[in-house]
Amino acid sequence: MPPPTLPPLPLRPAAPAPNIGSDMATVELRGVCKSYGAVHVVRGVDLAIADGEFLVLVGPSGCGKSTVLRMIAGLEEVTEGELRIGDRDVRGVVPRDRDIAMVFQSYALYPHMTVRENLAFGLRVRKFPKEDIATRVQEVAAVLELDLLLDRLPKELSGGQRQRVAMGRAMVRRPKAFLFDEPLSNLDAALRSQMRVEIKRLHRELGATMVYVTHDQVEAMTLADRIALLHQGTLQQVGRPDELYDRPANTFVAGFIGSPAMNLLDGTLGGDRDTPVVCAADAVIPVLADGLPADLAAGARVRLGVRPHDLALADAGAASPAVGFRGTVEVVEPLGWEVHLHVRGEFGTLTARLERSVLPAPFGAGQPVRLVVDPSKVHLFDGESGRRLEAGSPGRV
Amino acid sequence: MPRLAAVVLGVLCLAAPAGASELVVWHAYHGAEAEGLGEWAAQWRQGHPGASVRLVEVPSEALTGKLASAIPRGHGPDVFIWAHEQLGAWVEAGLVAPLPAEVEREAIEVHLPGTVDPLVRDGRLYGLPLAFKSVALFRNTRLVPEAPATTDELIADAARWTDPDAGRFGLAYEIGAFYYEAPWLYGFGGGITDREGRLGLSGVANARALAFAADLQRRGLVPADANGALVTALFTSGRAAMVIQGPWFLADAAGSGIPFAISPLPVVSATGLPARPFLTIDAAFLSSHCGRPDEALALMRDLAGPAGARIRALRGRQPVTARAAYDDPRVAGDPALAAFREQLGLAVPMPSDPAMRALWEPAAFALRSTLRGDLDPATALAQAERKFRIFTRPPPPPADPLPFVFGVGGLALVGAFLAVRRARRVRLGAAIWAHRTDYLYLVPAALGVLALLVVPFVVGAAVSFAAHTGGGEFSFVGFRNFVSILSSRDFGITEPESFYYTLGVTVLWTVLNVGLHLALGIALALVLREPWVRLRGLWRVLLIVPWAVPNYITALIWKGMFHRQLGAINAVLGWFGIEPVGWFDRFSTAFAANLATNVWLGFPFMMVVTLGALQTIPRDVEEAAAIDGAGAWTRFWRITLPMIKPSLVPAVVLGSVWTFNMFNVIYLVSGGDPEGRTEILISQAYRWAFSRQEQYGYAAAYAVLIFGILLGFDRLTRRFTRTEAGAR
Ligand SMILES: Nc1ncnc2c1ncn2[C@@H]1O[C@H](COP(=O)(O)OP(=O)(O)OP(=O)(O)O)[C@@H](O)[C@H]1O
Ligand SMILES: [Mg+2]
């Protein structure tokens, strides 16, 4: 049997090659479930990841992100549903035969091997020729600036360096798909943003499919081609970062994406057909008439969502003083250019994010304010199911 | 439980200072014999209100050792009861006092003929006989109504009942034990002493006797490898028509309900001579350190005399030596006592020569290799005799200690100089002073180590330069013990007694054991870690059990399992139609039996260490390797094993040292069989010290060599692991 040869490692942007047949690094989950005994951790996830796509899996801690990733890697069995990589059903296929690479949160470097051996391990067990391995390790080390560290043991490296070795170990083999499980969460903020850029560059240069797990929405927003948001084992929304931000599919997505989080208040639909308003306690908020489902009747219970930076201070003497949220400032958080206000009124509490320059001169806690919002910036959700209400969507399920 | 209590009590009593008015008697009797003794003591106390007697039961395996250590220091008993065969050694060591001439004259009158002579050494009487013990022929009277008078009749009777397939034997006795071979030796006109009374084994008559026994076994009339338990079981279940047993068997025989009768051993048809068993005399001996010999002597005479004898005969069913006891119709009417008394006339007193202790091992080896058919009887006996001569050779001549003293003194000086220089360099004095309270806490432990480790070690090392010349005396012989061992002067390199052969076995033993411990321990730990394993805690506990059971108990259990007839292993093999294997007949199977026992004992330790080590390695490293493309096998060798290695290396070193010195398993399972070929260094050292003429110096030299080898091994593994760590 001739020794296997390595596929080339295109470290510079390669000419876009047509993806055909089994080289397609698509990942497809159909109704995937995972349970440990009676504990259902993942409940019916449908997700199609395109070849070369950077998909970020986000969600709060314990929602099942790592589990989904580990099922793709083959480290956990799929309890129910179908899992395909390329055009192959990979259920029952051991990790080594899935042609994927994974970067762990803990890096999982081999502690008894030098950096060089760590990088070479995947190639050595696959019996590549020695010279090829050496060249490949050198190339990868050069890209990740690990050249001078090749003969060190992992314990002699800094956190960031270890992280790069973990990345390098994934890269050497040039797998179909990369899986990342919170690879940056052990780094400090500066290093994290630097590595974020690195990963983005890597994705561009390798053109490989990447599935990236994080609970950090900044990483999610900056890195992702698409974001899949998971909550309690179910997908809430899959889409481009701006889609999730602009048109969150439900109150959970709305609250999860964006920082500070979107304000969500209970209210009822009022006004007439052409000038609808939402009333939350004494607050009356005009909404767009053509943004509502046709069958939504007045008096329906809804949830009103307003992003903090969409709120504005109303001038004391402005028109229609009945409109807007009237309350008192509880806390002022100055953040340099901007200021976060926490306002309490009969409707509950609101966070507003304002430019410091718009605030009147003496301003502090206890100050009465009125906050207004552009009707086009108001998000409405069903009062019971929490689903987004917009034109074309059914008002009642 | 009562036995344990007796031991504890015994130890307590040994520790307590003897009361002034109390005479202390040590004995190793239990059961009926002990009751008989107790009853006599009660009666004696009534008759002697002023003085009292205290009976102390000492476990039989400990009694002689305790005597040797206690009496010279004045702690021992006033009187002790034991068989006469140790008398030579006791006289040599000065443990027993000779009895006055008038007591001797009286004894000859009072006791049965032949029961006083064995207690005489160098023309002086040293003890008063209590009971005589020899084997005789027990027969199931339903199967063999008439006692066979000759061996031909014996064989004919036996053949009638023998059916090995049904597990039935015409005759059963401990055929592999030399004690039971002795009657045939004498019956064929041989024996173990020559005309001048010197011990020896070779001779045509003895060869014929061995061939006779081998023939009994070959024809299936007698079961091979029978031990006392098997003989008892066969007779009491009616599967053996006849057994050769001593008075100790009476209780079992009577309890079984089988109708039986006892008769003297038959006449050997080939020679017309009676088969004559060994005779041992239980006697009361007077300690040489007894403070009140007159009172003690009066007590001994009462115990041995008619009054004591009657109680012991009736209550203890002892074949007592005092003639007067047989005047009592109840004693005279006991057919068992009568039969043993008849056999007494035809028994040969066991020699009490100290060299006798060195005869048992070679004699047993010769007997067993003949029974197995490995050697013809004459060759086997000649070899045994040669070994016996080596074991009983005179100690090496004393060496001039002067050069040695200078050498050791010089080394000590150099050592002291280096130590002081080192201490000064690291400012030891100042350091100790600065941390004096801390060091104070270490003092008790340091004293313990000094007393329990350093002192015995130094004494042991010192003994290795000496030869034990008998009776606790040592003479300095320099390096002669070491030279003799290392040059293998007395034995060919492939003989089991040679140092190099034993070393080879020991190394093989250690390597195979530790290898299997590791393999099994790691494999089980890896399995226990798998997520699909249910009841993990239960398995873990169960798998640690072999380790938790004291190893000598396990060794005895395994010894039983490997038994040819009674063992579970042959029984299981039998289900598959495999012939019973004589596990201890060949080196390979005996070694395998030892190995199996010790692997059973040793794997839990490695498993526990591995489980602990596995806990410390993160699971995701192995997962990373799985994704990198390593299969389970590669993952184990390249990832898991290297990661747990640092924890395993000390365990392997420890395990190797334990196994290297695993005396219990060797001694209790194979006992060195066949022919000492499965001995390891430590058990070989034991043999030199305790079953070959108390060659303590020689044995100590073995121990020092063992220590040296293990020290070297430790250094080697340390260097090995250090260079490996350095390479990183
Ligand atoms: N072996 C197991 N048995 C039972 N439950 C488990 C097991 N492994 C994980 N879980 C549960 O599955 C859920 C999802 O775990 P998972 O590790 O996928 O979360 P995650 O989204 O990666 O969280 P995090 O952001 O904290 O890493 C958790 O609630 C966890 O408690
Ligand atoms: Mg996780």
Side-chain angles (χ1 to χ4, degrees):
Chain A
M1 198 177 76
T5 47
L6 278 170
L9 180 71
L11 290 169
R12 276 145 256 94
N19 280 323
I20 28 165
S22 63
D23 274 351
M24 288 280 282
T26 57
V27 178
E28 199 176 341
L29 290 81
R30 277 193 215 139
V32 166
C33 296
K34 173 77 195 175
S35 32
Y36 297 102
V39 188
H40 301 286
V41 174
V42 175
R43 314 153 184 243
V45 166
D46 292 294
L47 190 60
I49 305 165
D51 183 35
E53 185 178 28
F54 200 118
L55 180 110
V56 174
L57 213 55
V58 283
S61 188
C63 69
K65 309 180 293 289
S66 297
T67 308
V68 170
L69 200 70
R70 289 167 59 82
M71 282 193 286
I72 299 174
L75 298 174
E76 301 282 356
E77 273 172 37
V78 176
T79 311
E80 213 179 287
E82 203 175 309
L83 176 62
R84 307 176 75 87
I85 296 178
D87 51 7
R88 190 160 64 126
D89 186 345
V90 292
R91 281 174 305 171
V93 176
V94 293
R96 57 187 287 194
D97 295 331
R98 295 192 179 196
D99 197 12
I100 37 118
M102 181 155 167
V103 178
F104 291 80
Q105 179 174 359
S106 62
Y107 314 140
L109 301 182
Y110 310 128
H112 56 292
M113 296 186 194
T114 60
V115 169
R116 187 192 307 281
E117 288 163 339
N118 262 282
L119 294 179
F121 184 76
L123 300 176
R124 272 173 56 189
V125 298
R126 285 170 203 263
K127 306 247 163 19
F128 285 107
K130 271 208 164 60
E131 310 81 65
D132 291 7
I133 298 178
T135 341
R136 177 61 66 87
V137 167
Q138 279 302 339
E139 284 173 4
V140 169
V143 173
L144 293 171
E145 295 168 28
L146 292 169
D147 325 45
L148 299 176
L149 308 175
L150 282 176
D151 291 313
R152 293 213 197 154
L153 285 177
K155 64 168 181 248
E156 297 159 351
L157 301 178
S158 74
Q161 290 166 337
R162 282 180 214 180
Q163 211 282 333
R164 292 214 298 278
V165 177
M167 300 276 295
R169 197 172 59 181
M171 282 163 59
V172 244
R173 258 181 28 238
R174 176 112 173 90
K176 263 191 202 152
F178 287 82
L179 309 177
F180 298 88
D181 192 354
E182 310 198 25
L184 305 183
S185 59
N186 287 346
L187 301 180
D188 65 42
L191 209 50
R192 204 181 305 179
S193 62
Q194 183 193 330
M195 282 313 295
R196 227 163 39 216
V197 177
E198 289 281 329
I199 291 174
K200 187 110 189 168
R201 185 171 62 90
L202 204 70
H203 177 240
R204 204 177 53 238
E205 289 177 358
L206 296 179
T209 310
M210 292 187 175
V211 183
Y212 189 105
V213 162
T214 180
H215 58 243
D216 179 323
Q217 53 167 306
V218 180
E219 276 173 35
M221 300 296 277
T222 51
L223 289 173
D225 291 334
R226 279 196 307 158
I227 293 179
L229 204 158
L230 208 57
H231 177 49
Q232 291 182 348
T234 29
L235 273 185
Q236 304 295 311
Q237 188 171 5
V238 184
R240 290 192 317 276
D242 54 329
E243 276 174 9
L244 264 75
Y245 188 82
D246 295 338
R247 299 179 55 230
N250 56 36
T251 46
F252 183 80
V253 179
F256 191 82
I257 302 282
S259 171
M262 181 186 278
N263 297 298
L264 289 165
L265 301 170
D266 285 319
T268 41
L269 196 64
D272 53 39
R273 194 70 248 163
D274 298 323
T275 55
V277 292
V278 172
C279 306
D282 63 339
V284 178
I285 310 298
V287 295
L288 288 182
D290 53 2
L292 289 179
D295 55 347
L296 197 67
R301 301 204 327 102
V302 295
R303 262 169 95 71
L304 173 82
V306 184
R307 293 218 178 265
H309 64 87
D310 289 333
L311 287 167
L313 276 182
D315 293 340
S320 55
V323 169
F325 302 98
R326 247 189 300 265
T328 342
V329 174
E330 279 198 316
V331 179
V332 183
E333 288 180 309
L335 288 160
W337 180 81
E338 65 189 48
V339 173
H340 293 183
L341 295 186
H342 297 268
V343 176
R344 175 173 285 282
E346 279 174 35
F347 48 83
T349 54
L350 278 180
T351 307
R353 184 176 165 208
L354 303 169
E355 213 175 305
R356 193 171 55 180
S357 56
V358 306
L359 296 184
F363 196 85
Q367 177 109 10
V369 290
R370 186 161 65 92
L371 293 168
V372 290
V373 59
D374 185 314
S376 67
K377 297 287 165 66
V378 173
H379 304 262
L380 282 183
F381 302 96
D382 186 279
E384 270 144 41
S385 68
R387 280 172 2 128
R388 182 176 187 82
L389 297 175
E390 53 190 357
S393 71
R396 281 277 175 268
V397 187
Chain B
M1 207 50 213
R3 196 155 164 72
L4 182 73
V7 172
V8 171
L9 216 73
V11 171
L12 289 176
C13 294
L14 298 186
S21 61
E22 219 174 33
L23 286 170
V24 176
V25 178
W26 284 10
H27 68 96
Y29 285 144
H30 51 267
E33 288 187 299
E35 285 166 20
L37 197 63
E39 197 174 311
W40 161 79
Q43 215 169 74
W44 192 80
R45 284 189 201 102
Q46 279 180 358
H48 300 75
S52 87
V53 57
R54 185 153 56 95
L55 300 176
V56 178
E57 185 190 326
V58 182
S60 56
E61 55 279 7
L63 190 127
T64 52
K66 283 197 189 300
L67 289 175
S69 57
I71 291 183
R73 286 168 193 76
H75 297 318
D78 298 292
V79 173
F80 58 91
I81 299 170
W82 189 248
H84 80 280
E85 70 214 47
Q86 299 283 334
L87 184 59
W90 290 338
V91 171
E92 223 171 55
L95 303 182
V96 283
L99 306 181
E102 65 272 17
V103 176
E104 181 173 351
R105 276 193 298 277
E106 180 199 67
I108 291 170
E109 267 169 42
V110 168
H111 297 286
L112 293 169
T115 60
V116 178
D117 278 357
L119 302 170
V120 175
R121 247 191 112 70
D122 307 327
R124 309 206 57 178
L125 181 70
Y126 281 91
L128 290 180
L130 301 178
F132 57 92
K133 295 194 174 159
S134 77
V135 295
L137 188 68
F138 286 65
R139 66 181 196 281
N140 182 333
T141 45
R142 220 181 279 142
L143 304 173
V144 186
E146 290 301 316
T150 63
T151 49
D152 283 350
E153 284 177 38
L154 176 84
I155 289 171
D157 285 339
R160 226 175 300 126
W161 179 245
T162 297
D163 181 0
D165 291 334
R168 289 193 335 220
F169 298 93
L171 177 66
Y173 70 99
E174 290 179 52
I175 194 167
F178 186 68
Y179 176 80
Y180 289 86
E181 177 64 17
W184 308 135
L185 296 188
Y186 291 104
F188 277 88
I192 55 165
T193 42
D194 61 14
R195 231 164 252 123
E196 284 86 52
R198 282 185 323 170
L199 292 169
L201 284 168
S202 56
V204 182
N206 285 356
R208 286 176 71 195
L210 258 60
F212 173 75
D215 189 53
L216 288 179
Q217 178 179 311
R218 194 180 45 72
R219 289 161 66 174
L221 302 173
V222 176
D225 287 345
N227 56 16
L230 178 67
V231 172
T232 304
L234 286 175
F235 190 76
T236 54
S237 65
R239 282 182 293 148
M242 294 174 277
V243 295
I244 298 175
Q245 276 284 29
W248 51 86
F249 182 62
L250 283 170
D252 279 327
S256 70
I258 299 248
F260 71 95
I262 307 169
S263 58
L265 296 175
V267 168
V268 171
S269 305
T271 59
L273 298 172
R276 295 166 59 186
F278 275 142
L279 170 69
T280 50
I281 304 292
D282 284 359
F285 297 94
L286 179 62
S287 158
S288 58
H289 281 62
C290 174
R292 289 165 298 148
D294 295 337
E295 288 169 47
L297 199 59
L299 176 114
M300 284 164 60
R301 285 170 54 202
D302 189 73
L303 172 62
R310 200 168 299 120
I311 298 173
R312 284 182 290 111
L314 290 173
R315 186 76 201 266
R317 284 205 94 189
Q318 260 186 339
V320 294
T321 54
R323 296 170 207 259
Y326 295 90
D327 297 341
D328 187 308
R330 285 170 298 172
V331 178
D334 185 331
L337 294 187
F340 281 113
R341 198 174 150 187
E342 200 180 331
Q343 185 71 71
L344 166 68
L346 295 168
V348 184
M350 179 116 64
S352 60
D353 186 339
M356 185 67 196
R357 282 173 295 175
L359 187 77
W360 293 107
E361 182 191 323
F365 285 171
L367 173 60
R368 282 183 233 154
S369 48
T370 307
L371 291 175
R372 282 196 298 273
D374 289 351
L375 289 177
D376 68 275
T379 319
L381 286 167
Q383 269 192 13
E385 172 133 351
R386 196 187 120 240
K387 284 191 180 151
F388 173 67
R389 298 273 167 255
I390 296 171
F391 296 159
T392 54
R393 74 201 151 181
D400 182 4
L402 217 56
F404 195 79
V405 168
F406 278 125
V408 170
L411 277 178
L413 269 179
V414 171
F417 172 73
L418 289 176
V420 167
R421 208 178 59 170
R422 180 79 196 274
R424 291 194 135 183
R425 193 172 329 127
V426 302
R427 297 177 177 281
L428 189 66
I432 290 181
W433 185 245
H435 295 276
R436 52 192 176 281
T437 20
D438 306 358
Y439 277 97
L440 208 60
Y441 285 117
L442 290 180
V443 167
L447 286 180
V449 168
L450 195 73
L452 297 173
L453 241 87
V454 179
V455 171
F457 178 78
V458 169
V459 169
V463 169
S464 70
F465 296 104
H468 181 229
T469 51
E473 305 283 315
F474 287 89
S475 72
F476 179 79
V477 296
F479 285 101
R480 294 222 170 87
N481 289 330
F482 292 97
V483 171
S484 165
I485 292 171
L486 292 176
S487 66
S488 193
R489 202 186 55 201
D490 298 314
F491 305 99
I493 269 254
T494 55
E495 279 190 88
E497 290 82 1
S498 115
F499 176 77
Y500 296 100
Y501 175 87
T502 315
L503 178 63
V505 172
T506 313
V507 170
L508 184 72
W509 162 252
T510 310
V511 168
L512 284 180
N513 264 303
V514 175
L516 287 170
H517 288 168
L518 265 181
L520 210 59
I522 293 178
L524 285 170
L526 288 175
V527 168
L528 275 184
R529 190 175 66 140
E530 286 298 315
W532 46 262
V533 175
R534 300 274 165 261
L535 302 178
R536 196 177 313 241
L538 178 73
W539 294 123
R540 207 179 292 196
V541 169
L542 283 182
L543 287 171
I544 291 173
V545 165
W547 192 28
V549 176
N551 62 16
Y552 65 92
I553 292 180
T554 309
L556 288 174
I557 292 173
W558 280 77
K559 165 101 185 161
M561 293 207 298
F562 283 111
H563 192 271
R564 190 200 293 248
Q565 278 89 17
L566 298 178
I569 293 177
N570 277 352
V572 171
L573 291 180
W575 297 341
F576 300 100
I578 299 171
E579 289 287 300
V581 179
W583 286 94
F584 303 111
D585 287 358
R586 272 187 312 263
F587 171 78
S588 54
T589 49
F591 188 83
N594 285 343
L595 190 65
T597 308
N598 201 47
V599 166
W600 171 256
L601 280 168
F603 80 84
F605 171 68
M606 291 296 178
M607 187 189 82
V608 168
V609 170
T610 310
L611 273 174
L614 285 174
Q615 305 267 301
T616 65
I617 72 171
R619 203 75 211 247
D620 53 11
V621 173
E622 284 167 282
E623 291 175 343
I627 292 176
D628 258 353
W633 190 246
T634 318
R635 221 150 57 221
F636 171 71
W637 286 107
R638 305 278 298 274
I639 307 293
T640 317
L641 190 61
M643 284 173 77
I644 59 176
K645 207 170 88 183
S647 322
L648 285 183
V649 168
V652 167
V653 173
L654 258 182
S656 304
V657 172
W658 288 340
T659 311
F660 200 87
N661 283 339
M662 184 41 90
F663 175 82
N664 287 2
V665 168
I666 302 288
Y667 187 75
L668 295 175
V669 178
S670 79
D673 275 347
E675 275 103 58
R677 293 213 162 263
T678 52
E679 299 284 6
I680 59 173
L681 288 171
I682 193 80
S683 61
Q684 196 69 265
Y686 174 88
R687 297 251 178 247
W688 282 107
F690 300 106
S691 59
R692 295 173 189 162
Q693 281 294 76
E694 305 189 330
Q695 307 203 28
Y696 296 139
Y698 205 77
Y702 256 87
V704 168
L705 288 172
I706 292 172
F707 175 76
I709 292 168
L710 293 178
L711 196 68
F713 172 71
D714 179 59
R715 295 275 124 187
L716 206 73
T717 49
R718 264 193 222 193
R719 164 162 322 167
F720 170 68
T721 42
R722 199 178 316 133
T723 46
E724 194 164 76
R728 291 265 167 258

